[in-house]
Amino acid sequence: DAEITQSPRHKITETGRQVTLACHQTWNHNNMFWYRQDLGHGLRLIHYSYGVHDTNKGEVSDGYSVSRSNTEDLPLTLESAASSQTSVYFCASSRESVGETQYFGPGTRLLVL
Amino acid sequence: QKEVEQNSGPLSVPEGAIASLNCTYSDRGSQSFFWYRQYSGKSPELIMSIYSNGDKEDGRFTAQLNKASQYVSLLIRDSQPSDSATYLCAVRFNNNDMRFGAGTRLTVKP
């Protein structure tokens, strides 16, 4: 079955380290998204991509970067992790049509000490 | 400012009752609206999408959209304890930016 996976599921890192969170989908969706979820803020969009080599900044993009070298993967990099980036990170994907219904991965819990 | 507002709750209803969840949004030009359910510790899953004014029904769920009032709601009939979760309202604004509300926590008591 087609799916969307994230790795690692849990990560502890130290302030200042570079961290990369992986997202892989097998639906062949063109659109991929990264969100963070914090109490009281709901889901906030970090970066998104509408296709290979396309990347766009979302609402809370500072300190994060993405690259899209193929359809299946959109890795999220924290350039220099900060304690404020402790959060749960969700990757999502959608087809170009069907009203942008997004399908979410299982999430990655990141703790920055 | 693009905003999606939800009452954070918690909303508590008895089993078998109707649960009513509400959402308002700031961009009058928005065209796509979604309700997601999120169980504790899990990822959001789509329940309903709605694009036109009026009601859209799917089983026990009814989404209602009023673009003039910038208001979208979700009704859950015959609420079950398994419906206990956080419900997220999402709006795709005119520039394709998808924004989520903070969510309403629903508890259905047996």
Side-chain angles (χ1 to χ4, degrees):
Chain A
D1 285 342
E3 60 177 355
I4 181 167
T5 57
Q6 294 183 234
S7 63
R9 297 294 312 279
H10 302 271
K11 175 78 176 178
I12 301 174
T13 191
E14 295 177 342
T15 301
R17 288 189 181 266
Q18 184 181 77
V19 177
T20 296
L21 309 182
C23 176
H24 179 80
Q25 53 96 5
T26 58
W27 282 306
N28 203 36
H29 285 168
N30 279 324
N31 304 335
M32 296 185 73
F33 309 83
W34 272 105
Y35 294 89
R36 61 178 289 175
Q37 187 173 36
D38 306 285
L39 278 173
H41 288 282
L43 286 159
R44 290 183 290 176
L45 183 63
I46 305 171
H47 281 286
Y48 58 101
S49 168
Y50 287 152
V52 176
H53 302 309
D54 175 73
T55 60
N56 305 280
K57 293 182 178 181
E59 182 187 1
V60 290
S61 61
D62 287 349
Y64 303 94
S65 64
V66 294
S67 62
R68 187 92 180 269
S69 59
N70 58 52
T71 301
E72 295 80 16
D73 300 289
L74 186 69
L76 177 71
T77 298
L78 286 69
E79 304 294 345
S80 177
S83 57
S84 60
Q85 294 176 309
T86 292
S87 188
V88 179
Y89 290 86
F90 287 102
C91 179
S93 71
S94 70
R95 288 188 289 173
E96 286 184 287
S97 59
V98 199
E100 293 281 332
T101 301
Q102 296 186 13
Y103 301 91
F104 284 81
T108 294
R109 289 185 177 274
L110 177 67
L111 175 61
V112 183
L113 299 174
Chain B
Q1 187 80 6
K2 290 173 254 182
E3 292 184 350
V4 179
E5 300 285 344
Q6 292 182 254
N7 187 329
S8 62
L11 174 66
S12 182
V13 301
E15 184 175 356
I18 296 174
S20 177
L21 305 163
N22 304 315
C23 174
T24 58
Y25 58 95
S26 61
D27 185 354
R28 186 174 292 275
S30 300
Q31 298 296 322
S32 304
F33 308 87
F34 307 87
W35 282 100
Y36 284 82
R37 176 177 62 199
Q38 186 175 25
Y39 292 113
S40 181
K42 301 296 185 181
S43 58
E45 54 181 341
L46 182 71
I47 301 174
M48 299 274 290
S49 58
I50 186 167
Y51 310 104
S52 305
N53 278 329
D55 295 358
K56 180 181 178 182
E57 188 174 317
D58 184 0
R60 295 185 297 111
F61 299 95
T62 299
Q64 299 174 318
L65 175 61
N66 184 326
K67 291 185 180 179
S69 300
Q70 296 172 232
Y71 175 93
V72 57
S73 65
L74 180 70
L75 300 178
I76 306 174
R77 291 183 301 281
D78 189 24
S79 295
Q80 302 297 309
S82 59
D83 294 326
S84 298
T86 296
Y87 289 80
L88 304 172
C89 172
V91 177
R92 186 163 69 93
F93 288 100
N94 240 358
N95 64 347
N96 288 328
D97 190 3
M98 182 80 93
R99 294 292 177 102
F100 285 78
T104 298
R105 188 156 58 91
L106 172 66
T107 301
V108 181
K109 296 186 175 181

